[in-house]
Amino acid sequence: MKKLKLYNSLTNTLEDFIPIDAGNVRLYSCGPTVYASPHIGNARPLVVFDILYRVLGRLYDNCVTYARNITDVDDKINARAKLENISIGELTTAVTAEFHKNLKLLNVLPVTHEPRATDHINEMLSLIDALMVNGFAYESEGHVLFRVKKMAQYGMLSKRSVDDMIAGSRVEVAVYKEDPMDFVLWKPSKDGDPAWDSKYGPGRPGWHIECSAMSHKYLGKQFDIHTGGQDLMFPHHENELAQNFGAFGCIMANYWIHNGMLLVDNQKMSKSLGNIISLDDILKKYDGEAIRYVLLSTHYQKTLNWTNQSVTHALQALDRLYGALANTCAPNTCHDASVQTDFSVLDALCANLNTPLALKYLHDLADKIYKSSDADEIDRLGCLLRQEAGILGLLQKNPDAWFRNNSAELDENKIQQLINEREKAKKEKNFSLADEIRAKLLENNVKIEDTRDGAVWKLLRNH
Ligand SMILES: [Zn+2]
């Protein structure tokens, strides 16, 4: 069996992955807070850890349990529901439905369990009870707090000392806390916000407790892999780990895998910069396969820099790969390409999910197809290419359908359509969209010139 190597943030080393139980490999991912469409940066872990799920499925005969939660109790949810004058339930149901639709477009496989926080309040309260009994939690003014100083190992994941954390002051100082580092497990609800009865008084859970309670329910006290974005390592993951340690006396997960951040034009996405790309919006404009390709084109631990060329490059790359499949058999008639190869997509992915290397391997196969004039060999390599790409969740469409709908190549109709969209964007003063369209056209050797009679275009040669 191939050996999977993963970079473990808990030990800061590249390790051989050894599951607790090879008959049931257990994986947890922190899921979305369903108040609005996630941005493209939030889509990165969804795709990256989908790859991990697929790899584990191959290596362990599909004996994998994958849980990813839905956070449906949160201040942002309350605020948005109020703003839109709809109930919290209506908002979270609608956003969750949209989220599922987008996952499908990205070809992200459904997880085994997708627990919602509001369905697990009792489990959270039981966990809080266990922390109280063990002396890791205390009550104060309607709150229940985690007593950080009780845990000598606190900071073991993010490698920070408690003093550094206080100095960094990402902690809320409050009179009801024994220590500024202590974090909320249960808190009173504000007027009109959802509240649940408990022996600690009516209120709602803190954010961190839900992941500990739900992973415990579906994966056990200690499981194999915990994943999430690097930005969640502290305080969220550190606090999840602390809660499990306090309640059960063990380390929550043996491997902690974190993906790097996604920047847009080398800047962090923010409201003030107006550069937030929502997943909903981008998937309305482009095929999910192209977005998936972009997200896999940078190694998951590295920062991914999104530019307005990213999707165009992915479309071009997919054109090339689908082009190689064009003269081979169709997806449903593909036969098992059981050929001995020195290297495969699975080898690349077993090397700490090296997706760029896996994509390069697909392009090498495509090269061989383009160079070959032997119909049998083209057929065989085509099946191999499709089969290998399947592990990455790519190239499963019919090439004709791909070229009809998505090709980066522009015909006259498409060019005119884009020019019209650009004119409309300019009228609506949406200059970033107008610039993006101009850049997309230029990338395809189409130059627009604005004249008194409107925009005209010409093809550039030798661009
Ligand atoms: Zn979490």
Side-chain angles (χ1 to χ4, degrees):
M1 191 170 101
K2 290 184 198 296
K3 267 223 171 311
L4 170 62
K5 279 187 185 289
L6 292 171
Y7 188 86
N8 188 354
S9 308
L10 189 63
T11 55
N12 275 347
T13 49
L14 190 64
E15 293 180 14
D16 284 341
F17 173 70
I18 302 163
I20 298 167
D21 172 5
N24 182 19
V25 178
R26 287 160 292 154
L27 169 68
Y28 187 85
S29 247
C30 293
T33 302
V34 284
Y35 71 101
S37 169
H39 59 59
I40 186 71
N42 302 128
R44 191 177 186 195
L46 297 167
V47 170
V48 163
F49 301 124
D50 177 61
I51 295 288
L52 177 58
Y53 183 38
R54 288 169 189 256
V55 170
L56 292 170
R58 298 264 168 161
L59 297 179
Y60 296 95
D61 248 349
N62 292 323
C63 299
V64 185
T65 307
Y66 183 10
R68 186 183 57 225
N69 68 311
I70 296 256
T71 300
D72 60 354
V73 49
D74 184 86
D75 287 339
K76 282 183 264 189
I77 295 174
N78 302 339
R80 173 105 194 262
K82 255 180 219 157
L83 191 73
E84 306 221 337
N85 203 19
I86 53 173
S87 75
I88 286 168
E90 277 174 284
L91 174 66
T92 57
T93 305
V95 176
T96 304
E98 194 70 21
F99 174 67
H100 286 152
K101 198 182 91 193
N102 289 339
L103 287 180
K104 240 186 168 166
L105 292 172
L106 288 169
N107 200 13
V108 169
L109 297 175
V111 292
T112 326
H113 301 288
E114 194 185 53
R116 288 163 199 243
T118 53
D119 293 335
H120 296 81
I121 301 292
N122 286 338
E123 286 82 351
M124 295 184 219
L125 284 166
S126 308
L127 193 65
I128 292 172
D129 290 348
L131 289 168
M132 288 288 286
V133 169
N134 295 347
F136 281 89
Y138 60 94
E139 273 187 272
S140 176
E141 298 182 25
H143 294 72
V144 184
L145 293 129
F146 187 92
R147 187 177 274 129
V148 167
K149 286 227 160 115
K150 167 96 178 157
M151 184 182 167
Q153 302 89 333
Y154 189 81
M156 68 186 290
L157 177 64
S158 52
K159 319 288 182 291
R160 297 164 192 236
S161 72
V162 170
D163 292 339
D164 287 348
M165 289 181 241
I166 294 172
S169 126
R170 282 189 65 186
V171 292
E172 188 196 351
V173 181
V175 284
Y176 53 81
K177 289 184 177 180
E178 282 178 7
D179 185 279
M181 281 307 297
D182 294 348
F183 59 89
V184 165
L185 301 169
W186 188 261
K187 60 183 174 185
S189 295
K190 285 185 225 138
D191 276 350
D193 286 347
W196 289 265
D197 281 334
S198 84
K199 64 177 167 197
Y200 310 107
R204 41 170 281 207
W207 173 37
H208 315 302
I209 195 76
E210 69 174 86
C211 288
S212 288
M214 296 191 282
S215 63
H216 172 226
K217 177 166 178 180
Y218 296 98
L219 306 177
K221 292 171 185 169
Q222 190 172 29
F223 51 92
D224 295 300
I225 307 177
H226 191 308
T227 69
Q230 214 174 57
D231 54 334
L232 291 182
M233 195 182 311
F234 183 82
H236 184 54
H237 291 167
E238 192 73 61
N239 290 351
E240 284 183 30
L241 189 152
Q243 290 163 163
N244 277 48
F245 184 83
F248 311 124
C250 56
I251 302 300
M252 185 181 197
N254 291 336
Y255 301 85
W256 292 72
I257 315 295
H258 290 98
N259 65 279
M261 294 296 92
L262 183 147
L263 300 178
V264 173
D265 295 325
N266 285 314
Q267 288 180 303
K268 220 175 150 179
M269 273 183 275
S270 75
K271 262 193 187 154
S272 57
L273 288 172
N275 61 352
I276 295 177
I277 301 172
S278 96
L279 187 57
D280 271 9
D281 289 349
I282 201 90
L283 287 173
K284 276 178 191 141
K285 276 162 72 181
Y286 300 106
D287 191 283
E289 188 166 359
I291 306 304
R292 186 175 174 95
Y293 191 99
V294 177
L295 296 173
L296 296 179
S297 58
T298 299
H299 187 262
Y300 79 93
Q301 284 183 285
K302 292 195 177 141
T303 301
L304 190 157
N305 186 35
W306 185 285
T307 71
N308 61 13
Q309 304 293 297
S310 299
V311 184
T312 310
H313 289 156
L315 288 169
Q316 287 165 342
L318 285 163
D319 275 358
R320 201 169 164 277
L321 295 172
Y322 271 114
L325 289 177
N327 298 319
T328 64
C329 53
N332 47 358
T333 61
C334 224
H335 46 80
D336 184 18
S338 48
V339 270
Q340 287 294 319
T341 49
D342 300 340
F343 189 76
S344 69
V345 162
L346 197 55
D347 289 317
L349 298 180
C350 279
N352 194 25
L353 310 180
N354 193 339
T355 53
L357 186 62
L359 292 174
K360 185 182 173 296
Y361 173 68
L362 298 186
H363 283 281
D364 290 347
L365 277 179
D367 274 348
K368 283 188 190 156
I369 294 173
Y370 281 120
K371 280 179 191 150
S372 177
S373 51
D374 175 340
D376 282 348
E377 193 189 18
I378 290 174
D379 193 53
R380 186 179 58 79
L381 288 171
C383 289
L384 181 64
L385 173 58
R386 190 176 277 119
Q387 188 179 296
E388 290 285 304
I391 307 173
L392 292 163
L394 297 172
L395 300 189
Q396 302 305 299
K397 296 187 179 90
N398 194 310
D400 289 346
W402 169 264
F403 283 106
R404 207 166 39 244
N405 300 321
N406 304 302
S407 171
E409 295 286 320
L410 297 178
D411 61 21
E412 286 199 17
N413 285 336
K414 270 194 186 166
I415 293 171
Q416 197 50 54
Q417 196 189 333
L418 282 169
I419 288 177
N420 295 345
E421 275 178 36
R422 179 170 168 269
E423 291 297 308
K424 187 165 161 264
K426 277 168 65 185
K427 269 189 201 132
E428 289 167 355
K429 300 205 183 308
N430 187 349
F431 297 113
S432 64
L433 178 61
D435 286 348
E436 202 182 298
I437 295 173
R438 174 192 278 276
K440 178 179 171 139
L441 288 165
L442 203 54
E443 184 66 27
N444 286 279
N445 296 343
V446 178
K447 186 172 168 27
I448 311 184
E449 276 164 14
D450 291 308
T451 71
R452 268 187 212 165
D453 302 324
V456 292
W457 60 272
K458 63 177 182 187
L459 277 179
L460 295 174
R461 300 279 166 219
N462 303 320
H463 175 61

